[in-house]
Amino acid sequence: MADDTLNDVLIDRLRSFLSKPNENLDGIRSAAARLHSRCASQDKATRERTLERVWRRHDGAIPLVLSLLESVRDQVTCCSLAGILHECVSPRAGTSGKKKAQNHAVKYRSPALSQLTSLNATQLIIKLLMQLSGKESQISDMLLYELVWIIAQLSQKDSKFSVKVRLTGSARTFHNILRLHYNNPKLLYPLLIVFKSLSRNVTTSTVLVKDGIVSTMEKVIVSIGYSPSPKLRLSLNVMHSLTRSKLCCTKMAKEDFVPLLLRIFERWERYNGKMRLRILTYTIITLKHLSNTKIGRKAIKSSNGLNLLYKFCVLCPNDRTYDSLLPRVASIIGTCMDKKVLPIDTTGPVLFSLPVLKTENSDTSDNTTGSGMRTSSSRETTPSADGSVAESFDNNDDDDDDASDKTQESDAGHGPYAIPPPILRDMDDLCQYAAFFQENVVTSNQEARTFEEKCIPRAKSYQEFGTHGCDSLGEHRDYWLINDRDGLRSDSYLGSCHLQHQEPSNDENSFWQKEVERRLNNYMRTVRSHSSCSCYDVYKREMTWKASSDPAMNSNLQNSLHMMGLTILSDIPKHSSVHYAYCAIASKVNTVYPVVKVAYPDMVGGDGSGQLYPLHIKDRKVCRAKLMTSVERAVHPHLLLDRVVYDLDGLIQQDAIAKGNDSGEKHLYNIDERRVGHRDLLKHHLLFESRFESGNLRKVVQIGLHEYELILLPDVNSVKHHQWFYFEVSNMEANVTYTFNIVNCEKQNSQFNYGMKPIMYSVIEAKEGRPGWVRAGSDICYYRNNYQNLHGRSRSWYLTTSFSMTFPHDNDVCYIAYHFPYPYSLLMTQIWKWSLSVDPSLIYFRTDCLCYSLNNNETPLLTITSPDMESNRIKDREVVFLTARVHPGESNASWVMHGTIQYLLSNAPAAIMVRNKFVFKIVPMLNMEGVINGCHRCGLSDEDLNRRWSRPNQYLHPVIYHSKGLIEYCARIMNKAPFMFCDYHGHSRRKNVFLYGCCNAGSWNQVDRSNSDDPVDYLMLPYLMQHFSKAFNLQACNFRVERMREATARVTIWREFGVKRSYTMESSFCGCDQGFYQGYHLDTIHLKEIGANFCEAMACLKDEGGWKADITPEEAARLAGLTSKEQLDESPPMSEISDNSDFSSDEDFH
């Protein structure tokens, strides 16, 4: 009690002198000295009671001390006042042990630092230091020590410390203090803490470098010596931060700082414990920064640095704590070695000629996203005019992953809260999509007549709109839309679609119109009287009769047929085998790269084995060995075998020569079952092949007896995006371990480091009754190699996916892939099978060709619902749009979509419910060209199509353009915004299944945030998915809308058409780390199960008004809380993120 009273008396006495501090110096000096002595007392109870009294916020003792410190000019008094603050912010170890000292820090230091930061103590003490440093002969070492210690502690707490130092111009002041006192052991440590904080800011560190901090730090390290100590660790920490600047690296190399660093590194074995690890870490990272500059690499090599680094790799302790250092050292060695590039041309072996649009001098507006009936403006002549240039995007996974998309960010508006207005298409132009909503107009005679009036085949030639190297709409260019050629007049309408038009004046046109109207009228009557027949069958029968009776109209009617079905399926006999159907379809597919066969797994269905495969457990010793092997090969390249055993570029040249002599049609087939068991005796290595649909393998180099380096193809017309692989292997020996190193991967991290295995398909196993893809491979590792990526960031390198496989049979034919392939021909085969198995009396199932792709392949559009009923008209049902495969390498998205379609066509109760409630419009493959040609991210235009939804180009992005047109027709013409939109994706860096959605509260735009929305609208589906799907992870869902994502499908549909349930559903390439499937891979059966679960969840949304009414305000608030989670849209868990720009993880071998 007496101690508390004395503390109160001293503080009150100081407060009484505050009004006139310089007139009461003796009193202030006496009270401050006594209070300081009590704060620094050796008696623990006295010290703690005094400190507790000082930092107590409501008593205002700390603001009092700060005010006196600012006002008093006496250095002795200032020293006592600063000492009080020093004791408040400095933890004392004492004799009670480390734990007690930590408790002291938590109890006193943290509140005191918070108070000082909020009171702007940083600026005050910096100002005082600047004033006193101007009179070097008058400032005492003790006062300087106290002030520097306080500022050192504040620098670690104040997040804006560097900014405050820069704004006050005190960076040079601190440098001068360090320059004058680098030999002062008492003052050096807090000064280094200050510089550790300053060096983290790039701008401040640049100021310091220009002021000569490099030479000062060299003197500091020399004065400290090479013995391990906290000061040496702090010094190296400062240099590690400073060398992020190339200017600093240049100065270090010129001032012979590099030999000093290497001497410290050379003595690493003399250090012990955690100090060794920290000193090594900072030294190695500093050397890594130096190696990123030419002069730094030269300095390292001239100082015998490569030998020292190689010696470290050899002698590095086999301890887990050093696993993060070895990749960095290997990186420095690879960087300093002579530049090593891949043994291939920089571009792909084949380029695709993009459409060249015609320039017409007409007074029309820019029609980048407008009607195809309009004349192209001059801005359309080059893709770059409308933002449709061939861009390169970061290798990411989902719709929300491209943080580097500067083009889209710049398009988001000119102001901080600007959103570009949507470009709406002409109403007449949108009417071309009426043909894709035929189910809405066959319910009554009046509606049928209306449909007859407006759905007239267009005879106008497409050629007037542009000439293409490859016609983006194909040979069949006629669309069902309003015939505006002869002055058609349309009333503005929404929803009713009742149009008035003038009769054509031309007799031939009048005859054509009347004939088509008569045929359509017969078609409508036939549909109503033959409910057991599918609409397409009836329509095809009617139109086929028309074509046979009037050959002059055969061309136009055949084009109409194409809109009602898929020509690629038209001549496949109904009773054909699946193998025959697949080969017939694949033979008609247009490819950029030549194909010579169909892949056996795809021909027989492409399913996995259906088993649960556990995730791979990474062996850190194996990965260390692989990394060391990579270093050895960089240092001794002559030890490699270096034999090219597969070269796609050369094979394509041979095919080009052969095609000159053979102009016949392409007939693809597969004879793998006859090939198994036969060995090529002239070749003693594995044989490779990738010339089939979705295949990707460019070159194979044998580097060891059973080891091969594999180089992947980039996306078409690109030099990057290497991730997807799919190839055939044969001529193997059983029970021999073969190692495959895919050496041109680009992503800095991969699920291969966290349990993912590649997949393998054996033809012999399939013949013996065990078909299916299986997870295979051992010794799996993902690490940086020594091949320089000439098209990446400055001085960047490729990474290697390495795995070993032991094949179970001699002379088998096996296929290896990144994930379960789902090529375009497999999709079309499945559509053919579904069309034969569906009962039209129970399910309305129609397939249309939405448009033609850039390479003249059909884009299937599926319509699924229940047949029209008097009590439940199709036109009254909500519309749901589903899309998938905008990124061709995300084949898991197709398997999930397969599960969705298969479930919708089933007789499950939930399937019947959703068919009765919704009309499903499904585009199962948005980027079929990328899928066909084995691309990973882009299509033929080298653009991420999921960044083109806001302003798609009709000719460069036809599938996106027309898919968006369907939705716009639904929202504006039918006056019925889609109930839901969902885009299926795959994710290569996260596990489980999860959803991305949109909400106003999570938007980057202030206008969005000012408008409230009902969180139940977009959160109910994720909660239902968690209930139905064993692989779904609700906590991974995110509903933020970021500016750089404005051009994605999810955000565009949400913003432009008001679809509040606009989602991206992400499925992992790997597996699950939670729930029922925790620790296992996802097989095709599980992916299809996810698609079915999505339908089951939608069935529970049927009675929307009912469950909304049952939601309590508390439950709604709990649901809304999910949107406030600070989760990055594209970031995996922290344990799976690398903070190392060179390697996949700091814990590569864990």
Side-chain angles (χ1 to χ4, degrees):
M1 185 62 69
D3 287 340
D4 292 339
T5 303
L6 181 56
N7 292 333
D8 291 339
V9 168
L10 292 173
I11 292 173
D12 291 340
R13 189 176 180 187
L14 288 173
R15 188 175 286 112
S16 65
F17 297 142
L18 182 59
S19 59
K20 297 181 180 180
N22 292 315
E23 296 179 5
N24 301 282
L25 285 177
D26 293 338
I28 295 175
R29 183 185 302 146
S30 175
R34 292 194 63 182
L35 189 60
H36 179 210
S37 66
R38 294 182 63 80
C39 289
S41 174
Q42 295 297 317
D43 181 65
K44 177 184 173 184
T46 300
R47 182 177 69 249
E48 291 189 354
R49 278 196 296 269
T50 306
L51 290 173
E52 184 178 359
R53 176 65 181 81
V54 171
W55 67 255
R56 196 179 299 159
R57 185 179 291 270
H58 64 272
D59 285 345
I62 288 181
L64 172 63
V65 175
L66 276 177
S67 298
L68 290 171
L69 186 61
E70 185 178 16
S71 304
V72 173
R73 297 291 181 262
D74 180 62
Q75 290 197 21
V76 177
T77 306
C78 287
C79 190
S80 297
L81 293 170
I84 295 170
L85 296 177
H86 178 190
E87 294 297 332
C88 289
V89 300
S90 295
R92 293 181 54 148
T95 59
S96 54
K98 183 176 180 180
K99 187 174 181 180
K100 292 289 184 67
Q102 291 174 346
N103 292 337
H104 175 92
V106 172
K107 188 175 181 181
Y108 299 110
R109 177 171 174 262
S110 183
L113 284 171
S114 299
Q115 278 196 67
L116 289 169
T117 303
S118 63
L119 293 169
N120 292 324
T122 304
Q123 293 96 315
L124 189 151
I125 297 175
I126 289 174
K127 181 180 177 182
L128 186 58
L129 271 173
M130 293 180 70
Q131 292 174 353
L132 296 174
S133 298
K135 305 173 183 179
E136 297 178 5
S137 60
Q138 297 181 7
I139 185 172
S140 66
D141 289 345
M142 184 55 68
L143 177 57
L144 182 61
Y145 170 76
E146 299 289 358
L147 292 176
V148 170
W149 252 114
I150 297 170
I151 206 69
Q153 299 303 319
L154 285 172
S155 68
Q156 301 177 83
K157 179 70 175 180
D158 193 343
S159 60
K160 298 188 180 298
F161 175 74
S162 295
V163 177
K164 293 174 181 178
V165 169
R166 189 171 70 252
L167 293 177
T168 56
S170 56
R172 289 184 173 86
T173 300
F174 285 108
H175 184 203
N176 288 333
I177 295 173
L178 179 63
R179 187 185 289 120
L180 293 172
H181 298 90
Y182 71 88
N183 276 322
N184 187 334
K186 190 175 182 181
L187 195 57
L188 181 58
Y189 188 78
L191 279 172
L192 289 174
I193 293 176
V194 172
F195 277 91
K196 182 181 76 170
S197 300
L198 292 177
S199 61
R200 291 174 179 171
N201 184 279
V202 177
T203 307
T204 308
S205 63
T206 303
V207 173
L208 291 171
V209 171
K210 291 181 179 178
D211 198 43
I213 189 66
V214 172
S215 59
T216 304
M217 289 303 301
E218 183 179 8
K219 294 177 182 177
V220 169
I221 293 176
V222 170
S223 67
I224 293 171
Y226 304 124
S227 299
S229 66
K231 293 176 185 176
L232 180 60
R233 172 181 59 83
L234 271 176
S235 301
L236 294 173
N237 192 348
V238 171
M239 296 310 301
H240 135 260
S241 298
L242 287 173
T243 49
R244 290 182 301 174
S245 165
K246 288 188 176 181
L247 177 62
C248 180
C249 294
T250 302
K251 285 187 174 293
M252 287 182 65
K254 289 181 178 179
E255 296 181 13
D256 292 332
F257 202 110
V258 175
L260 179 63
L261 278 176
L262 291 173
R263 281 197 293 271
I264 296 172
F265 179 75
E266 187 179 12
R267 290 165 170 77
W268 67 271
E269 291 183 278
R270 305 179 188 181
Y271 308 148
N272 294 312
K274 292 183 178 179
M275 187 64 68
R276 172 202 278 184
L277 186 62
R278 291 178 180 177
I279 291 176
L280 272 176
T281 300
Y282 294 135
T283 306
I284 290 171
I285 294 177
T286 303
L287 290 171
K288 179 65 186 75
H289 292 163
L290 284 165
S291 68
N292 291 330
T293 63
K294 184 176 182 179
I295 190 172
R297 292 190 294 271
K298 183 177 180 180
I300 291 173
K301 289 190 286 186
S302 63
S303 302
N304 197 33
L306 291 182
N307 288 334
L308 295 176
L309 293 165
Y310 178 73
K311 181 180 177 182
F312 172 82
C313 291
V314 174
L315 301 178
C316 183
N318 189 15
D319 189 285
R320 187 179 298 272
T321 57
Y322 292 89
D323 288 345
S324 62
L325 300 181
L326 192 58
R328 289 192 174 105
V329 174
S331 169
I332 301 170
I333 294 175
T335 305
C336 293
M337 298 289 291
D338 294 336
K339 183 170 64 176
K340 185 178 180 182
V341 297
L342 293 172
I344 54 173
D345 292 335
T346 55
T347 59
V350 176
L351 297 178
F352 180 80
S353 299
L354 293 173
V356 180
L357 305 184
K358 194 180 289 185
T359 303
E360 297 189 13
N361 297 324
S362 59
D363 188 18
T364 56
S365 60
D366 176 26
N367 189 40
T368 299
T369 59
S371 168
M373 299 293 294
R374 292 183 178 270
T375 304
S376 301
S377 70
S378 60
R379 288 185 60 194
E380 290 186 277
T381 59
T382 59
S384 59
D386 59 273
S388 300
V389 294
E391 294 181 15
S392 58
F393 293 84
D394 190 18
N395 292 320
N396 297 310
D397 310 297
D398 52 326
D399 74 329
D400 305 320
D401 46 45
D402 200 349
S404 62
D405 192 359
K406 303 300 182 185
T407 300
Q408 293 302 328
E409 186 170 348
S410 64
D411 288 343
H414 300 292
Y417 306 114
I419 298 175
I423 298 179
L424 301 178
R425 292 167 62 176
D426 291 344
M427 302 292 278
D428 292 347
D429 177 36
L430 288 176
C431 288
Q432 66 177 291
Y433 300 108
F436 301 111
F437 291 88
Q438 296 176 37
E439 64 276 4
N440 294 329
V441 296
V442 295
T443 57
S444 68
N445 291 332
Q446 177 62 34
E447 291 168 350
R449 284 193 296 272
T450 303
F451 181 73
E452 293 163 13
E453 290 174 354
K454 66 189 184 69
C455 292
I456 301 172
R458 174 166 64 94
K460 193 170 184 179
S461 173
Y462 174 75
Q463 294 295 338
E464 64 187 270
F465 301 117
T467 57
H468 293 241
C470 290
D471 191 342
S472 65
L473 297 180
E475 299 174 359
H476 312 290
R477 305 181 179 94
D478 291 334
Y479 280 86
W480 288 82
L481 41 70
I482 306 301
N483 189 347
D484 60 353
R485 178 183 54 182
D486 299 298
L488 175 120
R489 183 183 74 252
S490 63
D491 297 330
S492 297
Y493 64 98
L494 283 173
S496 64
C497 295
H498 293 287
L499 298 182
Q500 303 292 329
H501 65 87
Q502 299 175 348
E503 292 293 331
S505 58
N506 185 286
D507 292 339
E508 181 182 355
N509 291 337
S510 300
F511 169 78
W512 162 244
Q513 180 175 330
K514 291 178 181 178
E515 184 64 21
V516 171
E517 287 178 353
R518 186 176 69 83
R519 288 292 99 205
L520 285 172
N521 191 38
N522 292 338
Y523 159 67
M524 299 300 177
R525 287 197 299 271
T526 307
V527 168
R528 289 192 289 272
S529 61
H530 296 82
S531 60
S532 61
C533 298
S534 70
C535 296
Y536 172 64
D537 289 339
V538 177
Y539 181 83
K540 184 175 181 180
R541 184 167 61 250
E542 293 290 315
M543 287 297 156
T544 303
W545 178 88
K546 167 65 180 172
S548 61
S549 63
D550 190 349
M553 294 184 181
N554 180 70
S555 176
N556 285 332
L557 288 171
Q558 188 62 36
N559 289 341
S560 302
L561 273 177
H562 295 160
M563 292 306 303
M564 296 299 297
L566 300 168
T567 57
I568 198 171
L569 307 178
S570 59
D571 58 351
I572 300 177
K574 183 166 59 175
H575 301 292
S576 301
S577 67
V578 176
H579 294 188
Y580 171 82
Y582 184 90
C583 293
I585 291 170
S587 298
K588 298 178 182 178
V589 174
N590 298 316
T591 64
V592 175
Y593 298 117
V595 294
V596 298
K597 62 178 293 186
V598 297
Y600 184 88
D602 305 330
M603 183 182 70
V604 299
D607 278 289
S609 63
Q611 302 179 24
L612 274 175
Y613 290 95
L615 298 178
H616 175 66
I617 300 176
K618 190 172 181 178
D619 188 340
R620 48 177 295 275
K621 294 182 179 179
V622 169
C623 292
R624 282 182 69 126
K626 286 179 179 284
L627 193 58
M628 277 303 304
T629 302
S630 177
V631 173
E632 289 281 356
R633 288 170 178 168
V635 177
H636 308 292
H638 59 279
L639 299 178
L640 298 178
L641 183 59
D642 199 22
R643 176 195 298 161
V644 177
V645 297
Y646 181 76
D647 184 8
L648 181 63
D649 296 45
L651 292 173
I652 288 176
Q653 292 179 2
Q654 295 176 12
D655 290 341
I657 296 174
K659 278 188 176 181
N661 303 322
D662 183 12
S663 59
E665 294 184 1
K666 177 177 62 176
H667 297 286
L668 300 178
Y669 52 89
N670 183 281
I671 57 171
D672 287 348
E673 291 187 358
R674 282 182 280 172
R675 289 173 55 204
V676 296
H678 299 282
R679 185 173 185 82
D680 189 338
L681 299 178
L682 299 179
K683 297 180 180 178
H684 304 286
H685 55 76
L686 293 178
L687 302 180
F688 295 84
E689 182 60 85
S690 64
R691 289 175 294 168
F692 46 81
E693 192 175 327
S694 293
N696 189 314
L697 181 64
R698 184 173 186 178
K699 193 168 188 175
V700 181
V701 180
Q702 185 178 14
I703 59 175
L705 183 60
H706 298 119
E707 187 170 3
Y708 300 85
E709 280 192 352
L710 282 61
I711 301 174
L712 304 181
L713 281 165
D715 287 359
V716 178
N717 287 355
S718 177
V719 294
K720 52 172 47 175
H721 308 301
H722 307 89
Q723 179 169 321
W724 172 260
F725 57 86
Y726 183 20
F727 56 89
E728 171 202 298
V729 179
S730 59
N731 213 45
M732 71 280 290
E733 298 178 29
N735 302 319
V736 173
T737 300
Y738 294 91
T739 300
F740 302 94
N741 303 316
I742 301 173
V743 297
N744 62 333
C745 301
E746 293 172 323
K747 289 199 173 186
Q748 296 303 310
N749 207 345
S750 170
Q751 281 294 316
F752 282 122
N753 267 334
Y754 303 102
M756 179 175 164
K757 289 184 176 183
I759 58 173
M760 187 265 289
Y761 193 104
S762 167
V763 175
I764 290 181
E765 289 289 304
K767 285 183 64 177
E768 294 178 355
R770 297 180 296 274
W773 289 98
V774 298
R775 295 283 179 175
S778 60
D779 298 347
I780 301 170
C781 191
Y782 191 82
Y783 58 92
R784 211 208 78 168
N785 58 44
N786 299 310
Y787 287 111
Q788 186 175 1
N789 183 358
L790 300 177
H791 307 284
R793 299 187 313 272
S794 176
R795 203 73 185 177
S796 61
W797 276 259
Y798 288 111
L799 292 96
T800 295
T801 298
S802 178
F803 55 89
S804 299
M805 281 195 178
T806 302
F807 300 101
H809 304 284
D810 279 324
N811 305 318
D812 195 358
V813 177
C814 294
Y815 293 80
I816 299 173
Y818 178 79
H819 195 69
F820 305 103
Y822 200 104
Y824 174 76
S825 296
L826 179 58
L827 170 65
M828 304 305 276
T829 304
Q830 290 295 340
I831 292 175
W832 174 76
K833 290 169 61 179
W834 286 326
S835 65
L836 297 177
S837 62
V838 167
D839 184 354
S841 65
L842 301 176
I843 302 172
Y844 183 96
F845 177 64
R846 192 178 77 250
T847 62
D848 297 316
C849 174
L850 176 62
C851 65
Y852 282 78
S853 67
L854 285 174
N855 202 21
N856 205 25
N857 290 300
E858 293 175 297
T859 303
L861 169 67
L862 310 184
T863 302
I864 302 175
T865 188
S866 293
D868 192 61
M869 296 174 282
E870 289 292 335
S871 60
N872 182 15
R873 292 297 179 91
I874 292 179
K875 67 176 183 177
D876 297 328
R877 300 172 193 168
E878 300 279 5
V879 180
V880 173
F881 280 88
L882 303 178
T883 60
R885 210 66 183 278
V886 71
H887 297 144
E890 297 169 3
S891 59
N892 46 354
S894 284
W895 285 106
V896 176
M897 181 60 79
H898 181 115
T900 295
I901 298 171
Q902 185 172 273
Y903 190 83
L904 289 174
L905 297 176
S906 71
N907 294 323
I912 297 173
M913 289 174 64
V914 294
R915 289 200 303 266
N916 289 337
K917 176 66 177 176
F918 305 112
V919 177
F920 288 89
K921 296 290 182 181
I922 303 174
V923 183
M925 194 168 284
L926 289 169
N927 192 348
M928 71 284 301
E929 293 301 341
V931 173
I932 291 169
N933 295 288
C935 301
H936 165 62
R937 184 76 178 178
C938 302
L940 299 185
S941 61
D942 189 24
E943 296 171 280
D944 185 343
L945 296 184
N946 202 35
R947 295 299 185 278
R948 290 293 173 264
W949 277 83
S950 62
R951 295 167 182 256
N953 184 288
Q954 180 178 359
Y955 306 113
L956 293 177
H957 325 116
V959 183
I960 304 300
Y961 177 83
H962 291 292
S963 297
K964 185 180 179 182
L966 279 178
I967 300 174
E968 189 171 352
Y969 175 88
C970 185
R972 297 179 60 206
I973 304 298
M974 296 174 60
N975 199 23
K976 183 191 294 184
F979 177 81
M980 180 186 295
F981 171 84
C982 190
D983 191 18
Y984 292 8
H985 282 251
H987 211 292
S988 66
R989 293 188 296 161
R990 300 184 75 170
K991 293 183 174 68
N992 311 306
V993 179
F994 48 93
L995 286 168
Y996 294 134
C998 302
C999 70
N1000 287 338
S1003 175
W1004 65 272
N1005 185 267
Q1006 186 174 352
V1007 177
D1008 293 335
R1009 295 195 300 271
S1010 63
N1011 299 321
S1012 61
D1013 50 13
D1014 188 352
V1016 178
D1017 289 333
Y1018 52 84
L1019 287 173
M1020 183 53 68
L1021 182 68
Y1023 270 81
L1024 291 171
M1025 279 294 292
Q1026 185 186 35
H1027 173 76
F1028 286 105
S1029 177
K1030 301 174 184 177
F1032 194 80
N1033 182 11
L1034 182 65
Q1035 299 305 316
C1037 297
N1038 196 289
F1039 301 89
R1040 289 190 299 169
V1041 179
E1042 296 180 291
R1043 183 171 182 172
M1044 63 187 70
R1045 322 297 199 233
E1046 282 292 329
T1048 61
R1050 170 178 63 92
V1051 179
T1052 299
I1053 303 305
W1054 170 77
R1055 183 175 299 286
E1056 295 189 11
F1057 306 115
V1059 180
K1060 51 194 174 185
R1061 302 174 192 86
S1062 182
Y1063 301 105
T1064 296
M1065 183 161 66
E1066 298 280 355
S1067 305
S1068 175
F1069 285 103
C1070 181
C1072 298
D1073 58 9
Q1074 56 86 49
F1076 182 82
Y1077 296 129
Q1078 181 176 2
Y1080 290 94
H1081 287 92
L1082 292 175
D1083 198 81
T1084 57
I1085 189 172
H1086 308 121
L1087 295 171
K1088 290 189 284 187
E1089 179 186 70
I1090 293 164
N1093 297 150
F1094 185 82
C1095 299
E1096 293 175 316
M1098 284 196 62
C1100 293
L1101 297 176
K1102 180 176 182 295
D1103 187 14
E1104 183 181 12
W1107 56 254
K1108 274 193 175 183
D1110 295 336
I1111 294 290
T1112 64
E1114 293 77 12
E1115 181 69 9
R1118 185 175 70 84
L1119 291 174
L1122 186 64
T1123 65
S1124 64
K1125 293 184 179 296
E1126 293 298 327
Q1127 296 174 325
L1128 293 176
D1129 285 357
E1130 57 178 348
S1131 299
M1134 290 306 296
S1135 61
E1136 301 184 11
I1137 289 183
S1138 168
D1139 62 355
N1140 179 4
S1141 61
D1142 303 305
F1143 288 87
S1144 54
S1145 174
D1146 278 348
E1147 301 175 344
D1148 272 287
F1149 310 120
H1150 288 197

